């Protein structure tokens, strides 16, 4: 007998079905037993008249919550049942997996334990409807990104995560024992997606893990996260990259809204707004002026940069002035950007770069890259890098390389912003931080 | 002016266009110069009458092959031109990036240097049309997998690659310095996709990197590769997983054939066959008998296993008897499978497992998993594992877990088989092996 998903039971009234799922709750009454069975698609009430089979009734009495059951029975209309006005009259029961009691974490409880404890028992925490919904939404979101990329002629790549030398800087690198030598975990696919530009691929994307040995414990940082990266050739400036990005996000939000607007409101209390394009753009110099006017004082030690508090203040300003959740912070000073960002020809102190701030959180960093070998080499020297470990990268630009740019976007940061989650640890399958490598 | 892709020039006859790409070749004649420009979509001849602008003619004379150019000009029909019967009459030229000469690897050369040398200069090797085509085909193939998964209710996950303890066995693990402790690179998402089953996700997939500290130097092994993994709940046996897999591969091959059959024939000399379903299934016991009849002697040290030579012999048998490139080798002995494979209830010496062999190469390993905690624990002990490092995994099965199964497929192995490539190093963006961490 084929399994019927609980969500499809209204189409099976009067029929015999097989349903499978977790025992959400059991009400064991004098003459009747009511089992609420939960599968990925929903919940249903299963009813059993104890006198029909006292032995089976006794077996049901012994069932523990969260046990996995296979039940066959007949679907009947029952208007007084809250769950869809129907119930399944139990005929047979198979216990696929009996849950131990007590549960270390009860996914049906009203009051949740601490986040840290929930992460310890993440697989039980994940049985809660909002968490299940989270991953369905993320699945749609990622697929929408890929659809958009494919519609625009992009090629997918999987760049290596094991590197023979440091990618961007020596800091925040994880070191790997690699046979009798050392390797490093890639901090981003940056060098490799640029390699694809030198290879003439013109447009590439990658969704994959990114590793940062960052010891910070904020609600926005992880030591391993999923990056959405792209790079495109034959751009005129970073403006082309921003235009591509905002149109893509508009498309992605639309796809998510079409499919999940109701679930997002139900589980996260968020009315999903599809952001209008273009997004506001604020050059850094102007941002500093705005912060002054708004009465926000930037910390002196981060000269040329804007701290998270400043980003939030700017976000409030943008919300007020432009009625928008997103804005681009553009043209960052050369002093706070990596060596491979292209400088403005007429303002070498500024780069053709941008961050995308969403609801006050930075979710994207992007730029036009410097593709001219002699200038790139000079910029690396100016930043005090030793050339030998990055020569393999510098070589990409010696034999013809198109002008290009791109960005990296943090998947969990975007999901966190979209669903108004307070902590990135709730916006990832399994969180990794300086103190957490389990489960 | 917007850029026109070279492939779109036939729709622009008589118009002024901007084209951008690599200088494939230059023929510098007495009165005329002919530049072949190459972009991702194709090649076109650009003509320049030297007397029109002797200064520009001199600049063109100095151009090196593989330099990146922006050219504007008028598209004219010219039936004697082999490349599409048209040419672009050059009006302006901008050198975006002048290539150094000589090139360490000439992507237009007829004779290729050694594979190892090509990997050193992979970005130049990638400019060759078959390599570009390879990644376009792979992009379609991966997207087809995801389409199929989404059509069948799967959720996408990104499981952590940094683990606090070993995943499957202690062997072939890469160790990472993780702040003041040690981490390990995941050898597969096995434990985590099973965690998603315990979480009630029912159906999940992941495409991501997999790390194996395998010191072998064969044409099929890499220390880092892209795995396509899936897991599905509420199966009856491994047969459900095989059925899902063969239908999915049928769909994927169809999508690739629709889009790339001509390119695959042109660049790889392969007439792509969409495999018919069902694929033949051969239980291991029968396979051993077939090998005996075929006169193939299995090496004595791999008792219960079948070596690559045996797999190739069986593939020839299947090709001859069933006219098929694929077959499932099923019901492997317990002695050669990991502890979490489910055993046959009536034959505890055999597992509910399979490999998928394609053109003689193993590309998939799959099984129904043991989801019953006490049995799983016993099986781990029987395999001599210490329970402490895997207790977090064993815990997944203590609080209700649906019966489930799944598989892992190697992306490069599938591409290698599909395109008849002799070596997996040509079937990956950047190869990683015991001796290779660069570029």
């Amino acid at each position: 007998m084929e399994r019927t998903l609980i969500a499809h039971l209204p189409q099976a009234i009067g029929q015999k079905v097989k349903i499978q799922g977790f025992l959400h709750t059991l009400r064991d009454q004098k003459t009747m037993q009511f089992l609420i069975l939960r599968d990925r698609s929903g919940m249903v009430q299963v009813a059993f008249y104890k006198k029909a089979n006292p032995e089976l009734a006794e077996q049901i009495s012994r069932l523990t919550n969260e046990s996995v059951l296979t039940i066959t029975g007949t679907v009947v209309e029952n208007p007084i049942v809250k769950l869809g006005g129907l119930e399944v009259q139990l005929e047979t029961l198979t216990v696929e997996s009996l849950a131990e009691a007590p549960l270390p974490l009860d996914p049906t409880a009203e009051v949740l334990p601490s986040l840290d404890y929930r992460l310890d028992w993440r697989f039980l925490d994940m049985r809660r409807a909002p968490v299940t919904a989270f991953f369905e939404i993320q699945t749609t979101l990622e697929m929408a990104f890929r659809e958009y990329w494919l519609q625009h002629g992009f090629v997918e790549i999987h760049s290596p995560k094991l590197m023979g030398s440091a990618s961007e800087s020596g800091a925040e690198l994880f070191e790997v024992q690699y046979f009798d030598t050392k390797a490093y975990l890639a901090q981003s696919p940056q060098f490799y997606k640029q390699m694809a530009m030198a290879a003439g691929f013109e447009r590439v994307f990658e969704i994959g893990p990114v590793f940062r040995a960052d010891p910070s414990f904020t609600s926005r940082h992880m030591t391993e996260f999923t990056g959405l990266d792209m790079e495109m050739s034959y751009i005129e400036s970073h403006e082309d990259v921003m235009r591509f990005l905002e149109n893509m996000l508009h498309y992605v939000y639309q796809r998510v809204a079409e499919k999940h607007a109701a679930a997002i409101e139900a589980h996260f209390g968020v009315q999903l707004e599809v952001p209008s394009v273009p997004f506001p753009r604020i050059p850094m110099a102007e941002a500093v002026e705005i912060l002054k006017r708004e009465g926000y004082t930037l910390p002196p030690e981060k000269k040329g940069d804007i701290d998270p508090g400043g980003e939030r203040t700017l976000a409030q300003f943008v919300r007020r002035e432009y009625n928008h959740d997103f804005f681009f912070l553009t043209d960052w000073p050369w002093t706070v950007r990596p060596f491979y960002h292209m400088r403005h020809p007429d303002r070498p102190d500024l780069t053709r770069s941008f961050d995308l701030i969403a609801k006050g959180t930075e979710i994207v960093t992007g730029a036009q890259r410097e593709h001219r070998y002699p200038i790139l080499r000079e910029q690396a020297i100016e930043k005090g890098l030793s050339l030998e470990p990055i020569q393999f990268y510098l070589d990409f630009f010696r034999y013809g390389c198109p002008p290009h740019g791109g960005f990296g976007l943090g998947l969990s940061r975007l999901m966190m912003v979209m669903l108004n989650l307070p902590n990135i640890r709730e916006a990832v399958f399994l969180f990794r931080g300086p103190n957490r490598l389990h489960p």
Side-chain angles (χ1 to χ4, degrees), chain A:
Chain A
M1 195 178 196
E2 284 274 300
R3 176 187 185 214
T4 302
L5 279 177
I6 289 171
H8 299 157
L9 291 177
Q11 286 87 57
I13 304 279
Q15 290 168 35
K16 194 170 162 177
V17 295
K18 177 168 99 176
I19 54 177
Q20 299 182 294
F22 294 91
L23 179 61
H24 193 74
T25 50
L26 170 67
R27 272 185 301 135
D28 203 344
Q29 299 182 346
K30 194 155 183 163
T31 57
M32 293 291 294
Q33 289 169 321
F34 297 101
L35 303 85
I36 306 294
L37 197 73
R38 183 186 76 236
D39 73 11
R40 209 189 115 199
S41 71
M43 295 201 273
V44 68
Q45 174 164 301
V46 179
F48 185 61
Y49 180 58
K50 291 164 94 166
K51 281 206 180 134
N53 182 341
E55 206 174 321
L56 179 52
E58 224 170 277
Q59 193 193 356
I60 290 173
S61 292
R62 286 194 306 267
L63 288 177
T64 46
N65 279 355
E66 297 298 313
S67 291
V68 173
L69 310 176
T70 295
I71 287 168
T72 64
T74 303
V75 189
V76 296
E77 273 186 289
N78 187 343
I80 64 162
V81 175
K82 279 185 199 149
L83 286 169
L86 58 80
E87 67 181 12
V88 174
Q89 294 179 333
L90 186 144
E91 286 164 33
T92 70
L93 169 84
T94 311
V95 181
E96 303 290 351
S97 172
L98 190 71
E100 289 180 27
L103 296 163
L105 185 155
D106 180 357
T108 68
E110 302 260 318
V111 178
L112 293 175
S114 73
L115 177 55
D116 216 48
Y117 185 81
R118 278 159 54 210
L119 296 185
D120 287 341
W121 295 98
R122 180 67 166 154
F123 71 99
L124 293 172
D125 190 49
M126 280 176 152
R127 292 185 190 174
R128 297 187 302 113
V131 187
T132 309
F134 175 93
F135 286 96
E136 285 170 359
I137 296 160
Q138 183 175 281
T139 300
T140 300
L141 177 124
E142 286 190 67
M143 199 60 175
F145 273 106
R146 296 190 188 103
E147 284 163 11
Y148 196 84
W149 277 318
L150 262 67
Q151 285 160 17
H152 290 82
F154 279 69
V155 164
E156 180 163 8
I157 59 168
H158 300 282
S159 65
K161 306 309 159 203
L162 291 167
M163 298 180 74
S165 50
S167 52
E168 302 201 19
S169 71
E172 304 191 348
L173 262 187
F174 285 119
E175 192 182 277
V176 181
Q177 186 61 45
Y178 193 79
F179 303 101
D180 48 7
T181 178
K182 300 274 181 215
Y184 303 92
L185 294 180
Q187 291 172 299
S188 89
Q190 186 60 39
F191 284 8
Y192 296 125
K193 58 185 184 165
Q194 290 193 256
M195 182 183 113
M197 298 301 100
F201 282 23
E202 295 192 10
R203 297 179 155 207
V204 299
F205 73 91
E206 173 164 10
I207 298 183
V210 164
F211 304 92
R212 304 268 166 95
D214 181 341
S216 50
F217 287 95
T218 79
S219 59
R220 302 178 320 280
H221 286 89
M222 301 192 277
T223 52
E224 176 181 350
F225 63 89
T226 301
L228 284 79
D229 271 272
M230 61 159 264
E231 206 72 19
M232 61 198 282
S233 285
Y234 301 114
I235 60 169
E236 309 254 314
S237 77
H238 55 321
E239 174 58 31
D240 291 331
V241 182
M242 289 190 280
R243 201 177 313 123
F244 189 91
L245 171 55
E246 65 194 354
N247 286 326
M248 180 160 65
L249 282 171
H250 179 82
Y251 175 85
V252 164
Y253 267 69
Q254 218 156 21
R255 297 284 286 152
V256 170
E258 280 161 24
K259 220 169 158 186
H260 304 285
I264 289 172
E265 178 142 27
H267 295 300
F268 302 97
V270 172
Q271 288 200 306
L272 192 64
E273 255 181 72
V274 177
S276 60
V277 285
F279 298 174
R281 285 145 170 76
I282 305 179
M284 277 292 278
E286 198 185 313
V288 171
E289 291 308 309
I290 292 168
L291 286 176
K292 262 187 211 150
R293 286 202 310 271
E294 298 283 311
Y296 185 85
T297 310
L298 285 166
E301 74 276 12
K302 296 190 87 187
K303 194 145 174 52
D305 205 347
I306 288 188
D307 68 328
E311 288 172 349
R312 283 192 294 274
T313 306
L314 287 168
Q316 285 158 15
F317 168 82
V318 168
R319 186 80 237 181
R320 199 175 73 221
E321 297 294 315
Y322 301 97
N323 193 32
H324 214 291
D325 277 342
F326 293 82
F327 70 98
F328 287 112
L329 256 181
T330 70
D331 305 305
W332 289 64
W334 157 251
T335 50
V336 297
R337 296 304 251 199
F339 75 96
Y340 52 81
H341 281 201
M342 187 181 269
R343 293 158 117 157
H344 278 284
D346 51 341
R347 284 288 303 273
D349 56 325
L350 299 182
T351 55
R352 289 183 160 182
S353 65
F354 65 88
D355 277 9
L356 178 63
I357 315 292
K359 292 184 187 166
T361 298
E362 177 221 309
I363 62 168
V364 176
T365 297
Q368 177 165 13
R369 322 301 184 182
E370 182 53 68
H371 66 284
R372 295 161 296 183
Y373 176 65
I375 301 175
L376 183 61
R377 198 173 173 280
E378 278 314 304
Q379 290 191 177
I381 292 169
E382 196 178 324
K383 286 279 185 190
L385 299 185
S386 60
L387 299 187
E388 199 262 319
I390 57 164
Q391 190 57 49
F392 79 97
Y393 165 72
L394 297 174
D395 284 344
F396 298 160
F397 306 94
R398 291 171 64 193
Y399 306 102
C401 183
H404 63 278
F407 64 80
L409 181 157
L411 176 62
S412 292
R413 286 211 179 170
L414 176 59
M415 288 296 295
M416 180 174 144
V417 161
M418 181 181 260
L419 303 178
N420 277 358
L421 295 171
N423 196 314
I424 204 157
R425 292 160 210 215
E426 305 222 37
V428 63
F429 188 73
L430 281 171
F431 170 70
R432 289 291 180 260
N435 281 346
R436 185 171 279 280
L437 273 169
H438 276 102

